Amino acid sequence: MSTTGASADPLAALGSLPGVPESVESVRKAVDRVYGHRIMRRRSNEITSEAALRGARGSAALSGADWALEEVRRRTDFSGDDEARVVGAALRLTAEAGQLLSIWRQSPLRVLARLHLVAAASKEGEVGRPRQAGEPVDEPLIELPLPSAAEVHGRLEGLSELVIAGGSAPALVTAAVVHGELLALRPFTSHNGLVARTAERIVLVGSGLDPKSVCPAEVGHAELGRAAYVAALEGYVSGTPEGMAAWIAHCGRAIELGARESTAVCEALQRGAA
């Protein structure tokens, strides 16, 4: 993770990068449109549930299990093959995220370990802890150089300190940095993409930007496509101001598309109630 300057609030410095303030404002407007919809006042629980399902589907798609929404909705057994297990892991993480909000700001590393445990659904020795030296990583989408276990440990500690310290950075910036750092590090032996996108969701909800979790960024990331996702991540990993700004803008666009998805759900429910 790289920031511009040695500010006491380094994430806030990222919020002033060229184009980022505009992304922050655009995201805020998109989120406000969903929350201002009259259906949200009466049926917000339904919108939250639908957003969770669509978000899980989108996250699974980015991890190689690109199922139709109705198939995800219909299926009850996710143990059959690799794709089914990926979808099952995404659904479990989405359900778990809401239970971890109160812990995140005090102990983000504990939350990340819990997320990996839930995703892996296993009690094997490497589950629920950062990888150790020599352990392989199964993350086929991300082919960037893999940081050493020692570097992972140090950078996770730094990320944890930033989250605990809080600060004045916009929620979009914090969410994008948490997401990008976890993808860059791939701290676990598996399921890093799913965990990173769930952590992004936790930041967006816990920050108050999307308190009802109705703007699933995972939907937008999937809609923008795997190639654009990886290209934007490469900008983050470069550590340059331009690359960091491009990643933050990419995450912002994903949130906007998630908000648009839930707005469409609101419109459909409104037509059905008419």
Side-chain angles (χ1 to χ4, degrees), residues 2-243:
S2 174
T3 56
T4 55
S7 167
D9 187 0
L11 294 184
L14 296 178
S16 63
L17 290 174
V20 172
E22 291 81 1
S23 292
V24 169
E25 180 62 21
S26 185
V27 165
R28 169 54 67 187
K29 289 180 178 177
V31 172
D32 285 347
R33 279 194 291 273
V34 179
Y35 279 84
H37 200 287
R38 70 177 188 174
I39 288 292
M40 276 292 293
R41 292 194 292 272
R42 295 185 286 114
R43 303 176 69 175
S44 64
N45 288 342
E46 292 176 66
I47 308 302
T48 296
S49 295
E50 187 65 18
L53 184 73
R54 295 180 184 221
R57 193 217 72 82
S59 192
L62 285 170
S63 287
D66 192 1
W67 287 14
L69 179 64
E70 291 311 313
E71 176 65 12
V72 178
R73 196 190 306 278
R74 179 191 67 82
R75 187 76 72 96
T76 57
D77 181 6
F78 296 95
S79 61
D81 55 28
D82 287 346
E83 285 197 5
R85 285 190 285 273
V86 168
V87 175
L91 288 166
R92 290 194 301 274
L93 286 172
T94 299
E96 186 74 11
Q99 311 302 314
L100 299 172
L101 292 170
S102 62
I103 305 172
W104 173 255
R105 286 296 296 271
Q106 285 74 42
S107 185
L109 298 185
R110 179 181 164 196
V111 168
L112 293 175
R114 174 62 185 171
L115 291 176
H116 186 241
L117 189 66
V118 168
S122 165
K123 295 182 179 179
E124 295 180 6
E126 71 274 12
V127 171
R129 60 154 175 79
R131 57 185 167 86
Q132 299 174 358
E135 288 183 332
V137 173
D138 179 15
E139 196 65 46
L141 175 62
I142 310 299
E143 299 179 352
L144 295 168
L146 192 66
S148 68
E151 182 179 352
V152 167
H153 177 78
R155 287 172 63 175
L156 280 178
E157 288 292 340
L159 183 64
S160 176
E161 289 170 5
L162 284 174
V163 171
I164 292 170
S168 60
L172 166 61
V173 172
T174 303
V177 167
V178 167
H179 184 172
E181 192 72 354
L182 292 174
L183 282 180
L185 293 177
R186 282 147 289 163
F188 302 108
T189 57
S190 64
H191 300 91
N192 289 287
L194 294 174
V195 168
R197 290 184 288 275
T198 305
E200 179 185 48
R201 173 187 286 267
I202 288 172
V203 174
L204 294 172
V205 175
S207 68
L209 176 64
D210 180 21
K212 294 183 182 294
S213 195
V214 295
C215 302
E218 305 96 322
V219 168
H221 287 302
E223 185 173 334
L224 291 167
R226 298 175 81 181
Y229 187 65
V230 172
L233 177 64
E234 289 174 351
Y236 176 86
V237 171
S238 75
T240 65
E242 297 80 10

